[in-house]
Amino acid sequence: MTEERFDIRAVRGLSEAEAARRLKTEGPNELPQARRKNLLKIAANVLGEPMFLLLIAGGVIYLLLGDRGQAVILLGFVAVIMGMTIYQGGKTERALEALKDLTSPRARVVRDAAERRIPGREVVRGDTIIISEGDRVPADAVLVAALNLFVDEALLTGESVPVRKNPYAEEALPEAVARPGGEGIPFVYSGTLSVGGFGVARVLATGAATEIGKIGRALREIKAEKTPLQKQTGGLVRSLAVVGLSVCALVAVLYGIARRDWLEGFLAGVTLAMAVLPEEFPMVLTVFLALGAWRMSRRNVLTRRVPAVETLGGATVLCVDKTGTLTTNQMAVKKIYRPGGGDFAFFDVESAAGRPMPEEFHEIIEYAVLASRKDPFDPMEKALREAGGLWLVNTEHIHEDWTLVQEYPISGRLLVMSRVWRPNGESDYVIAAKGAPESIGDICHMTEEEGRELVSRVDRMAGEGFRVIGVARARSKPAALPDGQHAFTFEFLGLIGLADPVRPGVAAALGMCREAGIKVLMITGDYPVTAGMIARRIGLGGERPQIITGPELRAMDDWQLRRRIKEADIFCRVLPEQKLRIVNALKAGGETVAMTGDGVNDAPALKAADIGIAMGGRGTDVAREASSIVLLDDDFSSIVQGVRMGRRIFDNIKKATVYVLAIHVPIAGMALIPVVLGMPLVFMPVHIVFLELIIDPACSIIFEAEPEEQNVMARPPARGESLIGRRTLFMSMLQGASVLAAVLAVFLAAVFRGRAATEARALGFTTLVIANLALILVNRSWTMGLAASLRVRNPALWWVAGGAAIFLAAVLYAPALRSVFQFGALGPADLLVCLGAGVVSVLWFEWFKKAGRDHNRALG
């Protein structure tokens, strides 16, 4: 049977009336529309974040103080961030829409004994559908008739090799479809692509009940989690806000009661609030992550969820989808065997390294190409034609001008495809055949000994992970052609091994992942032998990688899986929901999971992972929309660059956070101590605003531009590391306390020596500005010394330092500004005292860094 010979009258199909009734009762053949989030709800969620509340509070305070410039800056950040979040929130809901587009092609159905072409959404359960080469399957169905039907199910199984479909063998059709995957099964699935042949099928499931619909349900049920950085920052800001505002309110009340000056008390409370509340944190996160995403985009890594930039740096496990991620998802000729070649029986394409193919192997490729279609859908035939174009160009083995006479398709009884050609200027026909090696041996009428030799060669090539096909040729007089291929006298030419090639740079990238302490797991729907071969080729798991199969995984409970997963290197023959289960098991074990993939079947796991990484070039829309990060160039090594960038961002955010907390200690201390001691206020809001002009660009620009530490990819991931741990918090507070001591000492010394209050204030403020710049310098690196870090280029540092020096000179020596700041004039000796006190207050940290370097060297 061919499509031309198919008798449409033999199938009546549903009636139009019955189809309309089922469409009304069961719904259209499409996935449910993803519920659109209300923009007001998204905005409310954004405003509920402590960092945004802090920004708004800071803006309001500045408005109350009449400083519209600072208020506009802070509230402008709120508007920009909210706009970005609302825009991104709308985009992240598009995964189901992409699935919906994929599952609603046009379809050919038989109704009332007549063939019709209808929108895919109108296909109903019980419809009879016709599938031809190049058609997208509109629904899950069982085949009632098929001829040489091959279907690409990569979007469901992840495998690049199309599978052959046979019609259902029993008379009574089943009520439900079996799971996808495997040769010869009689089911076809919604969204998959026919790459060859013809079939007639009865629809068993539509819409959300299909296999691709189940993936859609899984996507809807998975809730996006906050990143560790978001959780830590939110908690830190909440704690500081509660403590800071409580202290400020208490100071304002106590000041008003003790001194009967409520206006001065309110001013003291506002000053302390501005000094204590670290409103820089939202800016730090926004700028660092936004610029980090921009830097990654320049390396072909698109960030769809900005916080994932930092999270990637903390990944402890990388789950890698083999097909399309480690491999190119394109079949290619890798090895060729010719009988009787002795020591030269094999031609290895990879080891040829650009050398021409020996003439003895040309005929094998020549006849494999002749046995393939000129414009094929099948990836294997595409690979054969590409090999012909590469190896046979400018030879006599190219026959574009030959005339095709007849084709003998593959059948269930004989897995061989033969094509009969009429060469120009010759009377005899030439027959080219390719197919399963055992079937090629059959039509070549091999002897028992020749058969054993063939099996031995096939086993050797299959053991190396190749898909093996045999090639044969025959000649025939131009008489009536026989009905079957067995009637020809075929000559066995050889074997061709095809494989899905490993992407360049994958092995090196995996090596860097191991050095960085990241465990790599391969997750694939392929067979254990093929997966193991790929793993050994890229250095995953050593010589004997530990493999867990899908059936073994199904037999495990969650506790067993969490235990076994620690030793596993490969999961093979897995189903989509099992990928999701693997990701969840890793997360339950405390891992930070990054998951790569490109197919529809990867989407639930991509969305559930801490960092979902989709392939941008070959990835489906569904995979991209479900992911946090997209590799625009499909280069696996870009993941390593992403990890490096993420770790750098986390390190620099940590440095900025330490600096912000440290500098707020002397600012808050100088705002609080005079109140406690009954002295006049030292710093007014205008002084805090001036300091913020240094602090804001320092924490958001200088530290962001710092390069990564030398050991950034030679240390284990920061597993559960807090942004501000006890040790880091202690070091930050110690830095701040030492600066506070220096500033307070200079200020009190001036007071006790009888200097005017304006001069004492100017001395304390100048010391604080200098100490502030010194804090920036020593915190640029926690591994390099000050002298070494000064040699590292960071233009923003000198712009900020130069601007601070110019502004300080202006407020000290411009009469109008000096009056606003209530400063007295300072002489050269005063400036030297401030410079010495400010620098000395933080120099002890250089000794601390040196001790750390000496300790690391001692450990080797």
Side-chain angles (χ1 to χ4, degrees):
M1 181 193 71
T2 64
E3 182 173 356
E4 290 77 13
R5 297 175 188 170
F6 177 61
D7 187 0
I8 197 69
R9 293 170 298 182
V11 178
R12 181 164 186 80
L14 293 177
S15 67
E16 288 291 352
E18 176 61 18
R21 187 189 68 81
R22 293 189 182 189
L23 183 64
K24 183 177 181 180
T25 57
E26 298 180 8
N29 177 36
E30 60 186 11
L31 296 184
Q33 179 78 31
R35 265 189 256 170
R36 290 280 184 184
K37 284 188 178 179
N38 185 288
L39 293 183
L40 290 177
K41 186 175 181 182
I42 296 177
N45 290 337
V46 173
L47 290 174
E49 292 290 330
M51 62 176 65
F52 294 103
L53 291 176
L54 198 55
L55 274 175
I56 293 171
V60 170
I61 289 175
Y62 281 124
L63 280 176
L64 293 175
L65 294 171
D67 192 336
R68 295 182 180 179
Q70 286 288 331
V72 167
I73 291 174
L74 288 181
L75 296 178
F77 267 115
V78 173
V80 170
I81 294 168
M82 184 173 294
M84 289 174 59
T85 305
I86 291 173
Y87 173 72
Q88 203 62 268
K91 286 190 67 179
T92 56
E93 298 301 315
R94 289 177 51 200
L96 289 176
E97 291 182 29
L99 269 176
K100 181 179 175 182
D101 292 340
L102 187 63
T103 55
S104 190
R106 294 190 66 80
R108 294 166 64 193
V109 301
V110 179
R111 290 182 180 170
D112 291 323
E115 180 186 338
R116 293 188 55 199
R117 188 173 288 274
I118 64 173
R121 69 186 305 275
E122 295 179 9
V123 172
V124 297
R125 184 178 51 82
D127 257 331
T128 299
I129 57 175
I130 299 173
I131 304 167
S132 300
E133 185 176 292
D135 286 346
R136 184 76 66 178
V137 179
D140 287 7
V142 59
L143 286 166
V144 297
L147 177 66
N148 197 26
L149 180 63
F150 283 81
V151 178
D152 181 353
E153 297 180 345
L155 63 81
L156 290 176
T157 65
E159 297 315 307
S160 56
V161 179
V163 290
R164 177 171 46 86
K165 297 293 182 178
N166 293 332
Y168 197 71
E170 300 177 21
E171 187 172 338
L173 294 178
E175 295 182 357
V177 296
R179 301 311 305 272
E183 286 277 337
I185 65 173
F187 300 102
V188 290
Y189 304 92
S190 177
T192 59
L193 179 68
S194 169
V195 297
F198 170 73
V200 180
R202 186 73 51 80
V203 174
L204 299 179
T206 62
T210 62
E211 288 298 311
I212 202 170
K214 294 173 184 175
I215 294 175
R217 285 205 304 272
L219 281 173
R220 286 199 304 275
E221 292 168 1
I222 297 170
K223 303 299 183 184
E225 298 180 2
K226 289 185 178 181
T227 67
L229 185 63
Q230 286 175 312
K231 294 175 183 176
Q232 292 177 29
T233 308
L236 181 61
V237 169
R238 276 192 296 269
S239 300
L240 290 173
V242 170
V243 172
L245 291 175
S246 299
V247 172
C248 298
L250 182 63
V251 165
V253 171
L254 292 178
Y255 195 102
I257 294 174
R259 305 191 187 185
R260 304 294 181 184
D261 190 339
W262 291 99
L263 182 60
E264 188 78 9
F266 176 73
L267 183 59
V270 169
T271 303
L272 189 56
M274 296 178 64
V276 170
L277 296 182
E279 68 271 20
E280 298 88 1
F281 280 154
M283 187 182 299
V284 166
L285 287 182
T286 302
V287 172
F288 273 57
L289 297 180
L291 289 180
W294 172 73
R295 293 181 193 278
M296 290 179 72
S297 70
R298 298 176 67 190
R299 301 185 183 185
N300 293 312
V301 180
L302 174 65
T303 306
R304 297 188 66 256
R305 291 177 56 228
V306 172
V309 174
E310 177 274 330
T311 311
L312 183 58
T316 60
V317 177
L318 178 58
C319 296
V320 184
D321 179 61
K322 177 183 75 67
T323 306
T325 305
L326 295 177
T327 64
T328 62
N329 198 18
Q330 289 182 325
M331 298 295 288
V333 173
K334 289 296 181 182
K335 203 162 196 174
I336 307 172
Y337 163 75
R338 66 184 181 94
D343 294 337
F344 302 99
F346 289 96
F347 176 69
D348 192 322
V349 173
E350 289 186 341
S351 63
R355 290 184 287 108
M357 176 186 289
E359 176 67 30
E360 294 83 357
F361 292 90
H362 282 189
E363 279 189 335
I364 302 172
I365 295 294
E366 172 189 359
Y367 280 86
V369 172
L370 286 171
S372 304
R373 292 180 175 87
K374 282 192 174 182
D375 188 18
F377 277 88
D378 189 308
M380 182 182 69
E381 291 193 341
K382 287 182 178 180
L384 294 173
R385 286 208 157 265
E386 287 174 5
L390 176 64
W391 299 106
L392 303 183
V393 66
N394 298 325
T395 72
E396 72 277 11
H397 300 283
I398 296 290
H399 308 294
E400 294 295 337
D401 56 346
W402 285 14
T403 303
L404 179 65
V405 178
Q406 185 169 322
E407 177 179 298
Y408 293 89
I410 292 175
S411 68
R413 294 182 299 275
L414 186 65
L415 300 178
V416 174
M417 176 180 181
S418 296
R419 307 189 96 202
V420 182
W421 296 90
R422 179 188 292 117
N424 288 345
E426 295 187 25
S427 58
D428 291 350
Y429 290 157
V430 172
I431 302 96
K434 74 175 189 322
E438 63 274 15
S439 296
I440 290 291
D442 184 19
I443 65 171
C444 290
H445 306 292
M446 286 185 171
T447 65
E448 190 174 325
E449 182 179 345
E450 289 173 335
R452 284 196 298 270
E453 174 69 14
L454 178 64
V455 170
S456 171
R457 298 303 184 184
V458 171
D459 288 346
R460 172 177 170 178
M461 295 175 73
E464 296 177 36
F466 299 124
R467 186 183 185 188
V468 185
I469 62 169
V471 183
R473 70 177 171 191
R475 300 186 75 88
S476 174
K477 296 297 181 182
L481 291 171
D483 291 334
Q485 302 174 67
H486 272 291
F488 295 111
T489 303
F490 277 103
E491 172 193 358
F492 177 64
L493 293 180
L495 301 171
I496 297 177
L498 300 102
D500 189 359
V502 172
R503 288 186 180 277
V506 165
L510 286 176
M512 284 187 271
C513 286
R514 285 194 300 273
E515 185 179 354
I518 302 172
K519 179 180 175 63
V520 178
L521 279 176
M522 181 195 297
I523 303 178
T524 177
D526 211 339
Y527 292 96
V529 172
T530 306
M533 183 274 297
I534 294 289
R536 286 188 292 274
R537 187 176 296 177
I538 62 178
L540 175 61
E543 287 299 316
R544 296 179 63 84
Q546 298 299 306
I547 299 175
I548 297 176
T549 65
E552 290 173 341
L553 178 60
R554 192 182 309 118
M556 297 179 193
D557 59 27
D558 291 342
W559 181 85
Q560 290 173 315
L561 176 58
R562 285 199 295 270
R563 182 174 57 84
R564 290 282 305 279
I565 207 169
K566 295 177 181 178
E567 289 80 34
D569 299 302
I570 301 170
F571 284 89
C572 60
R573 304 305 290 165
V574 298
L575 300 172
E577 64 269 22
Q578 290 178 323
K579 293 184 180 183
L580 179 58
R581 189 180 172 205
I582 291 168
V583 169
N584 287 334
L586 289 166
K587 291 174 68 176
E591 306 287 357
T592 301
V593 184
M595 167 80 187
T596 71
D598 61 355
V600 173
N601 62 314
D602 299 321
L606 286 171
K607 189 172 181 181
D610 295 295
I611 315 105
I613 306 171
M615 300 292 120
R618 302 187 186 277
T620 61
D621 288 344
V622 182
R624 288 193 290 268
E625 292 297 333
S627 65
S628 310
I629 290 174
V630 179
L631 302 185
L632 298 178
D633 57 359
D634 285 5
D635 188 349
F636 181 77
S637 62
S638 296
I639 297 175
V640 179
Q641 297 303 320
V643 171
R644 181 188 297 274
M645 182 69 69
R647 291 188 175 190
R648 168 191 166 180
I649 289 171
F650 183 79
D651 284 351
N652 288 346
I653 288 178
K654 198 169 183 178
K655 295 172 188 175
T657 303
V658 167
Y659 162 74
V660 167
L661 291 177
I663 194 59
H664 275 275
V665 170
I667 295 175
M670 293 304 293
L672 179 62
I673 290 175
V675 176
V676 174
L677 297 180
M679 301 171 61
L681 295 178
V682 178
F683 292 155
M684 308 295 181
V686 67
H687 303 113
I688 309 300
V689 170
F690 179 93
L691 290 169
E692 290 295 336
L693 292 176
I694 304 174
I695 297 171
D696 287 354
C699 63
S700 60
I701 298 176
I702 293 177
F703 287 109
E704 192 283 328
E706 284 297 314
E708 65 266 15
E709 299 283 357
Q710 295 175 348
N711 66 339
V712 71
M713 292 298 287
R715 67 188 191 218
R719 185 189 299 266
E721 181 179 344
S722 173
L723 184 64
I724 295 293
R726 291 181 180 178
R727 178 174 173 271
T728 308
L729 181 61
F730 173 76
M731 198 59 60
S732 178
M733 293 297 102
L734 192 57
Q735 287 184 2
S738 65
V739 171
L740 174 60
V743 173
L744 190 61
V746 170
F747 174 77
L748 292 178
V751 171
F752 290 134
R753 289 177 57 194
R755 302 285 293 266
T758 54
E759 294 178 358
R761 180 179 291 116
L763 284 165
F765 184 81
T766 303
T767 304
L768 182 54
V769 170
I770 293 171
N772 186 7
L773 295 175
L775 270 178
I776 296 172
L777 292 175
V778 298
N779 279 298
R780 286 182 63 201
S781 173
W782 280 33
T783 57
M784 288 190 295
L786 180 59
S789 65
L790 285 174
R791 291 193 292 269
V792 176
R793 186 174 180 273
N794 189 334
L797 170 67
W798 305 113
W799 280 105
V800 172
I806 293 172
F807 286 144
L808 180 61
V811 298
L812 287 177
Y813 298 108
L817 288 176
R818 193 168 64 217
S819 174
V820 171
F821 278 75
Q822 300 180 37
F823 284 163
L826 299 182
D830 295 327
L831 294 179
L832 286 176
V833 169
C834 295
L835 177 64
V839 171
V840 169
S841 67
V842 297
L843 276 183
W844 63 269
F845 191 59
E846 288 299 303
W847 171 86
F848 170 81
K849 288 193 286 186
K850 182 179 183 302
R853 292 194 299 272
D854 294 341
H855 177 69
N856 290 335
R857 279 195 293 268
L859 293 176

